Amino acid sequence: MAILSINIQTRGSDSDRIPKKVEVIDSTMQHVQSVWIEGAQQNIQLSPGLYAVILELASGKRLEKVAQVNSDADTSEVRFDLSKITPHESHEWAYLSKKPVETKRLLVEKRYRGAWVRFWKKNSDGRWEITNSPIQNQSSWDRDGVSYNLEVSRAQHFMQVGGPKIPWRLVALPPAEELMCLIQPGAGPSYVHPLKISVTSNSWKAETLLTYLQKDSYKEARELVNNAEELLYGKVSNPSAAAIGAYYLIKTRQLDRLHNWVENLRNWMEWMPDGAVLRAWQLILEGRSSKQLSPDQLEEIRTNLLLAWERGIPLYTIGLKLLREGLELINAMMPEDNLIMKNLAKVKQYIAAADLQSSTTTFNGIKPEKPDAMSRTGTPETKHLAYLYDIPRSAVRKALNTPKIHITENFLSKGMNNNVGNIIPGPKGDFSERSFDSSPSKRSKKSTKALIDEYKESMLNSDKPNDEVLKWRTGRFDT
C-alpha cells in the first residue's frame, strides 16, 4: 500500500479543527473510502493508481483534485487551499461549518442604513429584559458582513436585529465564552429577511453535526459522529453541545445510547428548555419501540413538554419543531387538556414567525415573548443599542443633543484612526447634555448637517474603527 497525504490550508487559527469530509474515488468511479479530517493534514493508505479526491464542507461547497498515488516509497500529496474561500479571515468559520449567503450586496447600501442590534436575557424570575451588549472589541466590521465575538452566560439569551427598513428578528444565542456570530446582507426576493445571521460556538464537531441535522443529512451526520456519547458526556462543561448530540441520537433513533444523560441534562440545566424536550421525545420513542404507552409514561411526556415551554424557547430550531410535534401528539391523545392546547397554540405562533432553515432558533418578533411573522421595522427608543455598520444621522444628532451644536474640525479628523474629541459630561454630571472637546479648538463653520455627513462618511470608510466608533458599534455609546 502507498500513502496519500491530504493537506488543507485555511486562514483562521481555529479553522483547522472544523471537520471536513474527504471522499476518495478510483479511476473506475468506485468509492474507495471516506475520512473526516479535523486538522491541517492527514495520511491515508491507498493502492497505487489514479484517484479523484473530493473535499466536502458542511456548507455544501465541494472541491475536487486528481491525485496520482505512486508505488515507490515517496508519499504522494494533494493540497486543498481554503484560504481564499472568503475575503475575510473572521468570516471563514461560517463558510466551513455553516451555509453563509452568496451575495454582492453591502451593508452600506440604503436598505441597511441604520441597522441595529440589541440583546435580551431571561432573568431567574422568568422576565425578559434588555441587557448590556456582549459584543467584544475583537469583533470585525466589513462592508459585506459583520463578525461578532460574544461572551454569553448560562441563561437564555437572544440577539435582536432590526432597522428602519429591516423587520425585527430574534436569534437564540447558546451560552459560550466565545460565541461567534456573522451578520451578512441577505440574498433573494423581497419577502426574504434582508439579513443572514449565522451563529456558532467553537465546539466544532457539535456545530458541524447541527448543520447536517438541520439539512436532514443523516448519512453525513452518522459518518461524522461515531460516538455521540462523547458530546453528552460533556453536558456539564458544554450543555449546548450535549443537547446537539442528544438531538442527533433522537433523530437517528439510537435510544440505547442516550442512557440517563438526557434526564440529567434536563435536571441540571434548568435554564435550557431543550433538556425537557429531549426527555419527552426519549419517552415517546421508547413507547413507539415497545408499541405501548402506559398512562404513567403519557403523563411524564406531558409533564416534560409543559416543563420545556415553562422554561422558555428551545435553543435550536430542531428543538422548537420537536416541541410542536410532541404537543400535537399529546393534544391528539388528550383533546380536553386545555393547558396543552394553550401551549400548542403559543408554540405555533413561534413556528409561524420562525426561519426554519436556521439551525439556532430564529423568528421575527418585537420581544422574545412576542413573535410576529409580520414584524415591525424602525429603531426602538432604548439603551444598549449597537449599530451594525452605518450610524444614522438621527443618532449622531441625538448624541450631540442639539441640531445647532458645532463640532470641532479635529473631532471629525481626516480618518477615524486619528484622535477624536472627548465626550464631556453636562452640568448635571451625566451625559444628558453632551458636547465634544478637542484640540485645537477651532470651530468649524460648516453646517451641522455637513459635519454629520462627514462623520458618517468617515465611519463608512473605516476598516479599523477607533474607540469612539467602537462605542457605537458595540452598544456602549448610550444615546
Side-chain angles (χ1 to χ4, degrees):
M1 298 291 283
I3 292 181
L4 175 65
S5 175
I6 302 171
N7 294 270
I8 302 174
Q9 180 181 352
T10 57
R11 297 169 67 183
S13 59
D14 215 25
S15 296
D16 287 346
R17 294 179 50 233
I18 299 175
K20 306 162 191 73
K21 180 182 177 181
V22 173
E23 183 179 10
V24 180
I25 297 174
D26 66 19
S27 57
T28 66
M29 302 303 294
Q30 296 298 309
H31 170 82
V32 178
Q33 63 172 293
S34 296
V35 295
W36 285 87
I37 298 179
E38 298 178 56
Q41 186 271 341
Q42 185 164 323
N43 292 338
I44 60 174
Q45 289 188 328
L46 295 170
S47 300
L50 188 66
Y51 295 92
V53 184
I54 303 170
L55 175 68
E56 182 178 332
L57 304 176
S59 63
K61 189 173 182 62
R62 290 163 60 97
L63 292 84
E64 298 184 14
K65 297 279 187 179
V66 175
Q68 178 66 54
V69 178
N70 301 316
S71 58
D72 54 31
D74 294 336
T75 298
S76 302
E77 183 180 63
V78 62
R79 288 184 173 274
F80 290 96
D81 185 359
L82 300 179
S83 63
K84 297 179 178 61
I85 197 171
T86 170
H88 310 292
E89 181 179 325
S90 58
H91 298 189
E92 188 175 54
W93 61 265
Y95 285 80
L96 299 180
S97 65
K98 301 296 178 180
K99 192 174 182 180
V101 68
E102 299 288 346
T103 180
K104 294 183 179 179
R105 292 175 178 169
L106 300 174
L107 292 173
V108 294
E109 294 174 16
K110 188 175 182 180
R111 186 180 191 183
Y112 304 101
R113 292 292 178 93
W116 51 264
V117 299
R118 63 177 176 177
F119 297 86
W120 295 82
K121 178 182 178 181
K122 192 173 188 181
N123 291 330
S124 56
D125 61 3
R127 292 185 301 108
W128 286 97
E129 69 173 11
I130 297 167
T131 187
N132 293 334
S133 167
I135 301 172
Q136 305 298 300
N137 287 352
Q138 296 82 0
S139 304
S140 64
W141 289 263
D142 300 290
R143 290 188 170 208
D144 56 351
V146 171
S147 181
Y148 289 143
N149 281 4
L150 308 173
E151 185 176 352
V152 182
S153 63
R154 288 194 179 185
Q156 287 192 63
H157 293 265
F158 273 88
M159 178 179 70
Q160 187 175 35
V161 299
K165 297 186 177 182
I166 297 175
W168 294 12
R169 171 164 283 197
L170 294 116
V171 181
L173 300 178
E177 292 183 2
E178 186 180 355
L179 191 72
M180 287 156 277
C181 174
L182 177 61
I183 305 179
Q184 299 171 287
S190 58
Y191 59 81
V192 175
H193 196 275
L195 292 174
K196 168 67 175 178
I197 305 169
S198 303
V199 176
T200 189
S201 68
N202 59 4
S203 298
W204 295 117
K205 179 173 283 188
E207 294 290 347
T208 303
L209 176 62
L210 179 63
T211 300
Y212 283 119
L213 289 178
Q214 187 64 24
K215 297 191 298 183
D216 293 331
S217 299
Y218 298 116
K219 176 178 179 291
E220 286 78 8
R222 286 190 180 93
E223 292 175 352
L224 171 62
V225 184
N226 293 322
N227 184 13
E229 289 104 318
E230 68 185 36
L231 298 177
L232 274 167
Y233 188 72
K235 57 190 173 291
V236 175
S237 60
N238 196 336
S240 54
I244 293 170
Y247 280 128
Y248 162 72
L249 294 176
I250 288 289
K251 296 295 286 186
T252 55
R253 305 297 193 263
Q254 300 181 60
L255 304 182
D256 58 319
R257 299 172 67 182
L258 285 169
H259 308 292
N260 66 337
W261 290 336
V262 166
E263 197 168 358
N264 291 339
L265 185 67
R266 178 202 62 188
N267 294 339
W268 298 348
M269 305 299 164
E270 295 182 2
W271 54 268
M272 188 170 71
D274 300 73
V277 174
L278 286 160
R279 176 57 179 163
W281 272 93
Q282 182 183 21
L283 294 167
I284 290 170
L285 294 178
E286 286 175 352
R288 287 180 179 175
S289 178
S290 63
K291 297 183 180 180
Q292 61 180 357
L293 200 61
S294 69
D296 288 344
Q297 288 175 311
L298 184 61
E299 181 58 32
E300 189 176 355
I301 293 168
R302 176 186 180 275
T303 299
N304 276 281
L305 292 171
L306 293 177
L307 176 62
W309 190 243
E310 179 185 334
R311 289 180 174 179
I313 309 159
L315 276 175
Y316 299 107
T317 302
I318 189 173
L320 181 63
K321 292 192 289 188
L322 285 174
L323 178 58
R324 178 194 60 183
E325 293 172 18
L327 288 170
E328 287 176 336
L329 175 65
I330 299 302
N331 184 54
M333 301 179 72
M334 307 171 68
E336 304 301 321
D337 193 320
N338 291 329
L339 189 54
I340 288 290
M341 292 175 61
K342 179 181 177 180
N343 285 3
L344 176 58
K346 190 65 176 177
V347 171
K348 285 183 175 180
Q349 291 180 24
Y350 281 87
I351 292 287
D355 176 5
L356 298 179
Q357 302 304 310
S358 177
S359 55
T360 49
T361 298
T362 301
F363 59 90
N364 286 4
I366 300 169
K367 299 178 180 180
E369 67 270 34
K370 290 186 177 181
D372 183 1
M374 305 297 293
S375 185
R376 70 172 65 170
T377 58
T379 303
E381 292 286 337
T382 181
K383 292 184 177 181
H384 311 307
L385 200 69
Y387 288 100
L388 187 62
Y389 193 88
D390 166 66
I391 313 302
R393 181 181 291 106
S394 59
V396 178
R397 187 185 297 277
K398 183 177 180 181
L400 299 177
N401 205 39
T402 169
K404 297 181 180 180
I405 197 168
H406 293 290
I407 311 173
T408 61
E409 291 279 10
N410 196 50
F411 172 72
L412 294 169
S413 71
K414 294 182 180 179
M416 293 310 295
N417 295 319
N418 299 331
N419 260 344
V420 298
N422 297 317
I423 305 173
I424 307 299
K428 298 178 182 178
D430 57 21
F431 291 92
S432 59
E433 298 181 24
R434 290 194 176 118
S435 63
F436 293 89
D437 179 50
S438 61
S439 298
S441 60
K442 178 182 177 182
R443 296 289 181 182
S444 170
K445 295 181 180 180
K446 297 181 181 180
S447 68
T448 301
K449 180 180 183 301
L451 289 168
I452 291 175
D453 285 343
E454 287 185 24
Y455 175 62
K456 281 165 54 60
E457 185 62 28
S458 64
M459 277 187 166
L460 295 178
N461 290 330
S462 173
D463 292 327
K464 296 180 179 179
N466 68 359
D467 290 345
E468 291 299 326
V469 179
L470 283 175
K471 288 180 181 178
W472 291 98
R473 291 183 175 171
T474 59
R476 298 185 182 92
F477 196 128
D478 289 343
T479 59

